[in-house]
Amino acid sequence: MKRIILLYLLLSVLSSCSFFKDKQPELSFAMEYADSNKKELEQVLKHYANDSLKLEAAKFLIRNMPAHFFYQQGREMDSIKHVLTFTDSHHYLDPKHIQKWGNYSYVDLPKIHDVQIITAEYLIENIDLAFEQWHKRPWGKYLSFHDFCEYLLPYRVGNEPLENWRKLYSATFSPLLDSIYTGSDVLEAANLVRNILKEPQFRHCTAFSLPNLGALYLIDNRFGNCRDFADLFTYVCRSIGIPCMEETNVRHYHTWNVIKDTTGMDIPFWYNTWTTFRGDTRIGDFRCGKIYRKMYALQIEEARKYVD
């Protein structure tokens, strides 16, 4: 597996060089890595053959897909997710649950790679719904296609299960936003979404080490750590056309959102705490050395660490 990923990283670096005219090496690698699932990816590309922009969006997702995976879920992880729901409004969890599950580790669970199981139907639905919201919102005209691909298009935020979440979230939250806001200020819209999400209260619990909990869990269960807070807000924003990503300060294990403003600036956003304004730079009571942004696309500089 390391050899496969290193080859993918090498192709990513080489594709940035002048003698490669496009991203076909990455796309070709993804197709081969898909193995028997290749036909599903080919079906997506064929579906968008007459829509150049959606075709490029599909290629963006597919060529970066080999880097994305999730952990196989099981009874133990389901049990811990259920235990999280016992966290009370004071963020207290009965120690008996921590004693029972506190040493659980998911890192040795089997990894399932998106590119080998994802379906054409799933990808097409996600792409179509992302484009629909991009074009629907008045602030969408300020969002470039390049930024659209990172801030709105991705079907996942981390290593959560592969789930059909976008249509559900859009059907739930788009009417709510439409009923209270018809303006064109993306930050004002994001602050209104913040108000919508204040109830039920998100209860903070850091007792267990788990992968990203997933959109279908979070829409019904507002429990988890700051990364899970941010994940929920990302799902909601992307489902209704608000360009959103996540950043993390590894030193303090803190994660927050950023909103792409119509001015081109990235505005930090922490929906559970404060209202954000244009020019805001707050990320909480943390002193940061390095801040890392969670991207869907493989980052060339990161890849060079492995091949230089």
Side-chain angles (χ1 to χ4, degrees):
M1 182 58 66
K2 286 185 178 179
R3 184 175 298 173
I4 292 174
I5 296 301
L6 285 174
L7 175 60
Y8 179 66
L9 292 168
L10 177 60
L11 287 170
S12 299
V13 172
L14 291 177
S15 67
S16 68
C17 298
S18 59
F19 55 86
F20 277 94
K21 301 301 183 182
D22 53 33
K23 297 289 187 177
Q24 290 307 311
E26 291 175 348
L27 188 62
S28 297
F29 175 82
M31 289 294 187
E32 292 306 312
Y33 193 33
D35 199 16
S36 61
N37 200 48
K38 181 178 178 180
K39 61 182 184 299
E40 294 290 330
L41 306 181
E42 291 175 335
Q43 185 177 335
V44 175
L45 300 180
K46 183 178 179 180
H47 179 80
Y48 292 122
N50 296 319
D51 189 326
S52 60
L53 204 56
K54 286 186 178 181
L55 178 61
E56 286 305 311
K59 288 180 178 179
F60 169 82
L61 292 177
I62 293 171
R63 69 174 177 254
N64 291 289
M65 200 175 291
H68 295 280
F69 64 90
F70 61 98
Y71 292 93
Q72 182 173 296
Q73 304 289 290
R75 185 178 301 176
E76 289 182 320
M77 195 179 297
D78 289 341
S79 297
I80 297 175
K81 285 183 177 182
H82 179 63
V83 166
L84 280 177
T85 66
F86 300 152
T87 306
D88 66 19
S89 59
H90 300 289
H91 315 302
Y92 175 83
L93 186 63
D94 194 315
K96 70 179 181 182
H97 298 305
I98 301 175
Q99 183 176 3
K100 181 177 181 180
W101 297 106
N103 293 323
Y104 173 80
S105 176
Y106 66 88
V107 295
D108 293 325
L109 291 175
K111 294 178 181 178
I112 302 175
H113 293 265
D114 295 359
V115 73
Q116 296 176 341
I117 67 159
I118 204 163
T119 66
E121 181 182 9
Y122 179 89
L123 269 182
I124 290 169
E125 178 178 277
N126 273 271
I127 292 169
D128 287 347
L129 289 175
F131 269 84
E132 178 183 314
Q133 290 294 331
W134 182 29
H135 292 147
K136 174 181 178 179
R137 302 299 173 183
W139 52 80
K141 63 185 178 182
Y142 299 100
L143 189 69
S144 69
F145 177 73
H146 176 270
D147 287 336
F148 164 79
C149 286
E150 285 286 6
Y151 287 78
L152 284 183
L153 179 64
Y155 57 86
R156 64 158 62 256
V157 298
N159 55 15
E160 75 275 20
L162 202 60
E163 299 173 326
N164 285 298
W165 61 272
R166 198 182 291 266
K167 180 180 287 185
L168 172 63
Y169 270 67
S170 181
T172 302
F173 295 102
S174 189
L176 293 175
L177 179 60
D178 292 342
S179 68
I180 58 176
Y181 190 65
T182 58
S184 59
D185 189 327
V186 66
L187 290 184
E188 187 172 349
N191 281 318
L192 290 172
V193 170
R194 170 187 178 272
N195 292 334
I196 292 172
L197 291 176
K198 288 173 69 174
E199 295 294 336
Q201 178 192 19
F202 204 114
R203 298 183 181 180
H204 193 258
C205 180
T206 59
F208 311 112
S209 175
L210 293 171
N212 298 75
L213 297 177
L216 299 189
Y217 178 88
L218 291 172
I219 196 171
D220 293 321
N221 303 283
R222 307 293 175 83
F223 304 90
N225 55 34
C226 59
R227 181 199 63 195
D228 303 313
F229 284 26
D231 285 357
L232 174 63
F233 193 71
T234 300
Y235 291 128
V236 174
C237 285
R238 289 180 177 175
S239 75
I240 58 177
I242 296 177
C244 182
M245 295 183 70
E246 296 178 15
E247 293 181 337
T248 183
N249 170 15
V250 177
R251 179 181 177 185
H252 296 285
Y253 304 101
H254 180 52
T255 302
W256 60 92
N257 297 99
V258 288
I259 301 296
K260 175 65 74 173
D261 189 21
T262 53
T263 63
M265 299 296 294
D266 288 319
I267 310 299
F269 203 98
W270 184 232
Y271 93 81
N272 202 45
T273 306
W274 63 74
T275 298
T276 299
F277 54 88
R278 188 159 284 107
D280 198 354
T281 59
R282 293 171 296 171
I283 60 171
D285 297 325
F286 301 95
R287 297 182 64 182
C288 294
K290 286 187 176 181
I291 293 175
Y292 295 88
R293 177 166 294 179
K294 297 166 66 175
M295 311 285 283
Y296 179 83
L298 184 68
Q299 302 304 296
I300 299 302
E301 289 304 318
E302 186 67 19
R304 287 199 175 99
K305 295 178 183 178
Y306 295 89
V307 297
D308 282 351

